[in-house]
Amino acid sequence: MRGRATRVLDASAIAAIVSATGVDRMYELAVERLTAVLTEHAAGTVDLRERDGFVLESPHRGLLEWMPAVRHGSSVSLKAVGYNPHNPAKYALPTILSSISLFDAATGHLRTVMDGTFATALRTGSASAIATRLLASPDARVLGLVGCGAQAVTQLHALARTIDVREVLVSDIDPEAERSFARRARDAGRLVRVASLEEVEERADVLCTATSVGVGEGPVIDGGRLKPGIHINCVGSDMPGKYELPLSTLRGSVVCPDHPAQAMREGECRQLAAEEIGPSLSDLLLAPERAKPLRSVPTVYDSTGLALQDLAMAELFSELSQTLGVGDDVTIESSAGDPRDPYAFLETAA
Amino acid sequence: MRGRATRVLDASAIAAIVSATGVDRMYELAVERLTAVLTEHAAGTVDLRERDGFVLESPHRGLLEWMPAVRHGSSVSLKAVGYNPHNPAKYALPTILSSISLFDAATGHLRTVMDGTFATALRTGSASAIATRLLASPDARVLGLVGCGAQAVTQLHALARTIDVREVLVSDIDPEAERSFARRARDAGRLVRVASLEEVEERADVLCTATSVGVGEGPVIDGGRLKPGIHINCVGSDMPGKYELPLSTLRGSVVCPDHPAQAMREGECRQLAAEEIGPSLSDLLLAPERAKPLRSVPTVYDSTGLALQDLAMAELFSELSQTLGVGDDVTIESSAGDPRDPYAFLETAA
């Protein structure tokens, strides 16, 4: 028996894939793959577990979570995500560190280990784009962004491929994040203007909240000035007890979660009773006629992030890495010699 | 920000660690670490989730499982295990493929990715040794092994460090596995004799069942001929619906699981009601006076395998790899440039 290779896709390999493919094309592919995997879920060919994890209190308060999903007959993905808000200041590391392992469903072999950062940003933005296409008015022109971090950039880029964005109004409690946003938005930066939170709320046709608001410090908008046809993508859910939207806004909107059970544990839906929650994104993709009448009323996409979305992204990057010949192969799993001899690998290695 | 290294410990790195440390010393270290982590569980400094996974029906029937554990303030481990009995015949791969990811609890950084095969064998054998020290008669001399695969070898080696083994009687439905066992047992092979299942049951002071019996095809022993002070380590639990011991043997024994809830889902304990289950291995380690009177009555250690044990092994191998300078470092997680810029890594990589 010979060991099988595991392809390692580090940040530079991901960069090579994205550069060779083009950022625009990556968003297109992501929307295609996510649409497919979310509709396949109903057919039972893919499955997932809700996110689970450990709350870490020591040495700092943080989270370490895992997100498993399966495409039967093909692959199993397991994303690990660390959420540690102290990282930038204390360790010169990003708040979120993430990796995805992709296994062969036929053999259990670890096929790919990849950085999960960009894949997560891409799928979160693309999922919002799918929700926005279904739930926002086709006449939407003004995009509001509350929170100007990395997620706001990918929300903007994904949504600009979905609606005809003419103006982007941004607000953040950190003036430096506001100031640097247009630059980070690349080409779309010409549409960006820093605005007061009031103006963002009043003028946005589509709003995205993607903040690091602390537990007990939300909501991040007032909600009283929103347009009657507003669509909100609420993507900031990450820590237990964190909310971005006021209850009144949720109660006055049709709230569509990515995954009802997970959103009731982690998302804005925690503020609602089960009967107050609307159709899921998968429901709407399977019955788009249910979405159409919602385009003229307030809607919220409660985005908690699904393991299924990570599966689709891991498959996409893994396929692109094969096509493009990108990444390094290592042999991690022991498969040396006699499977009945637990020490066979000692001799093979020596 | 600079990306942090992830140490990759493939089978040859594990071999280098085991060779440099010595197999005997590895068992000693494993018993020490497992004893520590199992007793720490009661203090709340370590925690685990029960094993969960996907049952795969396509293209073949198999399992892909994950096992998370945490040492608060230190590390989080996530073992992935594939169990695919068709692997040897169809793919020239072992039935079990396994890898362990070890994360820094302070930052969420993926510190180590390692082959999990030998670590799993080592911890399973060592956990049986701990149970045997607590529950078997100190006069035990005859070890019986039902099932002569890789697990039987590590059970033998771990137990030979715990009890004064004078004779090893082995039985397997596959004559080739029986014949080759003495060779695979290395030095302990001189004690090994192939025997009928009847003789193994009648003469064993300590018995280990580690079989690949099919679902619905168990139990693997009759149970009617066992000695009155028998201690059985039952380690074959892996597939739903698989049993190794007859109900009468379980009912006539004090059954000590590694983890009561998991054993009631996956182990021999599925055959029992909650009130029929005895103290766990952790309970016995914390109160060894409860174990002493059990040494003269029939006892069963129901071994399902704990994520906590994998955490202890991942920590051990990770530490040894640092001390010995073994393994290759790769940088998997993106941490390039501006954390507010989702494309910063594109420029850093280019």
Side-chain angles (χ1 to χ4, degrees):
Chain A
M1 291 186 191
R2 215 163 41 80
R4 295 221 178 161
T6 298
R7 181 150 292 192
V8 176
L9 299 178
D10 63 7
S12 68
I14 302 288
I17 291 169
V18 174
S19 300
T21 310
V23 172
D24 283 5
R25 179 68 184 141
M26 289 305 300
Y27 280 100
E28 280 174 29
L29 288 169
V31 166
E32 281 174 26
R33 297 298 182 107
L34 292 181
T35 303
V37 83
L38 292 172
T39 51
E40 282 163 315
H41 194 195
T45 52
V46 297
D47 197 9
L48 80 163
R49 288 290 186 283
E50 287 175 47
R51 177 167 34 230
D52 191 13
F54 294 117
V55 177
L56 307 168
E57 301 290 350
S58 156
H60 318 284
R61 186 172 177 87
L63 290 176
L64 198 300
E65 302 182 309
W66 50 92
M67 304 176 69
V70 57
R71 179 184 300 281
H72 286 290
S74 172
S75 46
V76 174
S77 64
L78 194 53
K79 183 165 90 164
V81 195
Y83 180 80
N84 291 285
H86 53 269
N87 268 0
K90 298 215 186 215
Y91 299 100
L93 284 173
T95 295
I96 294 171
L97 287 171
S98 155
S99 56
I100 311 178
S101 298
L102 190 68
F103 301 88
D104 187 342
T107 62
H109 165 59
L110 176 59
R111 202 193 291 150
T112 307
V113 180
M114 59 181 276
D115 177 45
T117 312
F118 184 69
T120 302
L122 184 66
R123 61 88 156 145
T124 307
S126 300
S128 287
I130 295 170
T132 302
R133 181 174 58 76
L134 287 162
L135 294 172
S137 162
D139 301 326
R141 298 289 178 269
V142 180
L143 174 62
L145 300 173
V146 177
C148 290
Q151 298 252 37
V153 179
T154 44
Q155 292 288 314
L156 165 55
H157 286 180
L159 267 57
R161 285 165 180 82
T162 307
I163 54 173
D164 184 10
V165 177
R166 302 283 172 87
E167 197 175 357
V168 182
L169 302 177
V170 304
S171 172
D172 196 296
I173 54 165
D174 178 352
E176 168 49 30
E178 288 182 333
R179 265 196 301 273
S180 62
F181 186 77
R183 174 180 54 75
R184 288 181 279 122
R186 273 49 175 196
D187 287 353
R190 63 193 160 75
L191 305 174
V192 170
R193 183 161 64 76
V194 175
S196 68
L197 191 54
E198 290 72 20
E199 189 185 354
V200 176
E201 287 196 48
E202 268 169 25
R203 297 207 36 239
D205 299 310
V206 173
L207 188 66
C208 299
T209 59
T211 71
S212 298
V213 67
V215 171
E217 291 169 11
V220 301
I221 63 168
D222 173 83
R225 286 174 291 262
L226 295 167
K227 285 193 176 169
I230 186 82
H231 170 69
I232 305 176
N233 298 300
C234 186
V235 304
S237 158
D238 42 40
M239 285 292 261
K242 173 178 168 182
Y243 300 103
E244 293 190 322
L245 300 186
L247 182 57
S248 56
T249 300
L250 292 169
R251 289 231 165 108
S253 306
V254 178
V255 179
C256 303
D258 51 8
H259 188 281
Q262 184 171 284
M264 290 200 68
R265 280 205 319 155
E266 302 185 1
E268 298 295 322
C269 285
R270 282 172 299 176
Q271 300 188 64
L272 299 175
E275 61 273 18
E276 295 179 295
I277 297 173
S280 72
L281 189 54
S282 294
D283 293 338
L284 295 174
L285 283 168
L286 288 164
E289 71 279 6
R290 294 180 68 182
K292 213 166 177 186
L294 303 179
R295 286 177 195 158
S296 51
V297 302
T299 49
V300 171
Y301 172 53
D302 188 10
S303 169
T304 58
L306 292 193
L308 273 187
Q309 300 168 343
D310 300 318
L311 171 71
M313 292 303 98
E315 290 176 336
L316 173 61
F317 279 96
S318 181
E319 288 167 32
L320 290 172
S321 87
Q322 294 295 336
T323 308
L324 298 166
V326 168
D328 292 318
D329 287 348
V330 296
T331 306
I332 295 177
E333 298 145 319
S334 167
S335 55
D338 178 356
R340 284 184 176 140
D341 182 354
Y343 310 112
F345 75 105
L346 290 174
E347 285 130 39
T348 308
Chain B
M1 294 189 189
R2 211 164 42 80
R4 296 220 177 163
T6 298
R7 181 149 294 192
V8 176
L9 299 178
D10 62 8
S12 67
I14 302 290
I17 291 168
V18 175
S19 299
T21 309
V23 172
D24 282 5
R25 179 68 184 142
M26 289 305 301
Y27 280 98
E28 278 175 32
L29 289 168
V31 166
E32 280 174 28
R33 297 299 182 105
L34 292 182
T35 302
V37 83
L38 292 172
T39 51
E40 283 163 313
H41 193 197
T45 52
V46 297
D47 197 8
L48 80 162
R49 288 289 187 285
E50 287 175 48
R51 178 167 33 230
D52 191 11
F54 295 118
V55 176
L56 307 169
E57 301 290 351
S58 157
H60 317 284
R61 186 172 176 86
L63 290 176
L64 198 300
E65 304 182 308
W66 51 92
M67 303 176 69
V70 58
R71 179 184 300 282
H72 286 290
S74 172
S75 46
V76 174
S77 64
L78 194 53
K79 183 165 90 164
V81 195
Y83 180 80
N84 291 284
H86 53 269
N87 269 0
K90 299 216 186 215
Y91 299 101
L93 285 172
T95 295
I96 293 171
L97 287 172
S98 155
S99 57
I100 311 177
S101 299
L102 189 69
F103 302 88
D104 187 342
T107 62
H109 165 58
L110 176 59
R111 202 194 289 150
T112 306
V113 179
M114 60 180 275
D115 178 44
T117 311
F118 184 69
T120 302
L122 184 66
R123 60 89 156 146
T124 307
S126 300
S128 287
I130 296 171
T132 302
R133 181 176 57 77
L134 288 162
L135 295 171
S137 162
D139 301 325
R141 296 291 177 266
V142 180
L143 174 62
L145 300 173
V146 177
C148 288
Q151 298 252 37
V153 179
T154 45
Q155 292 287 314
L156 165 56
H157 286 180
L159 266 57
R161 286 165 180 81
T162 308
I163 54 174
D164 184 8
V165 177
R166 302 282 173 88
E167 197 176 355
V168 182
L169 301 177
V170 303
S171 171
D172 196 296
I173 53 164
D174 178 352
E176 167 50 31
E178 288 182 334
R179 265 195 302 271
S180 63
F181 186 75
R183 175 181 53 76
R184 288 181 278 124
R186 270 60 174 189
D187 287 353
R190 65 194 157 76
L191 305 173
V192 170
R193 183 163 64 78
V194 175
S196 68
L197 190 55
E198 289 72 21
E199 188 185 355
V200 176
E201 286 195 50
E202 267 168 25
R203 297 205 40 238
D205 298 311
V206 173
L207 187 66
C208 298
T209 59
T211 71
S212 298
V213 67
V215 171
E217 292 169 10
V220 300
I221 63 167
D222 172 83
R225 284 174 292 261
L226 296 167
K227 285 191 178 171
I230 186 83
H231 170 68
I232 305 176
N233 297 299
C234 185
V235 304
S237 158
D238 41 41
M239 285 292 261
K242 172 178 169 184
Y243 300 103
E244 293 189 322
L245 299 186
L247 181 56
S248 55
T249 300
L250 292 169
R251 290 230 164 109
S253 307
V254 177
V255 179
C256 303
D258 48 10
H259 188 284
Q262 184 171 285
M264 289 201 68
R265 280 204 319 154
E266 302 185 0
E268 298 295 322
C269 285
R270 282 172 298 175
Q271 300 187 64
L272 299 175
E275 62 272 19
E276 295 177 294
I277 297 172
S280 74
L281 190 55
S282 295
D283 293 338
L284 295 174
L285 283 168
L286 289 164
E289 70 281 5
R290 293 180 68 183
K292 213 167 175 185
L294 302 180
R295 286 177 196 161
S296 51
V297 302
T299 50
V300 171
Y301 172 53
D302 188 10
S303 169
T304 59
L306 291 193
L308 273 187
Q309 299 168 343
D310 300 318
L311 171 71
M313 292 303 99
E315 290 176 336
L316 173 60
F317 279 96
S318 181
E319 289 167 34
L320 290 172
S321 88
Q322 295 295 335
T323 309
L324 299 166
V326 167
D328 292 318
D329 286 348
V330 297
T331 307
I332 294 177
E333 297 145 320
S334 169
S335 55
D338 180 356
R340 283 181 176 143
D341 182 353
Y343 309 112
F345 75 105
L346 290 174
E347 285 129 39
T348 308

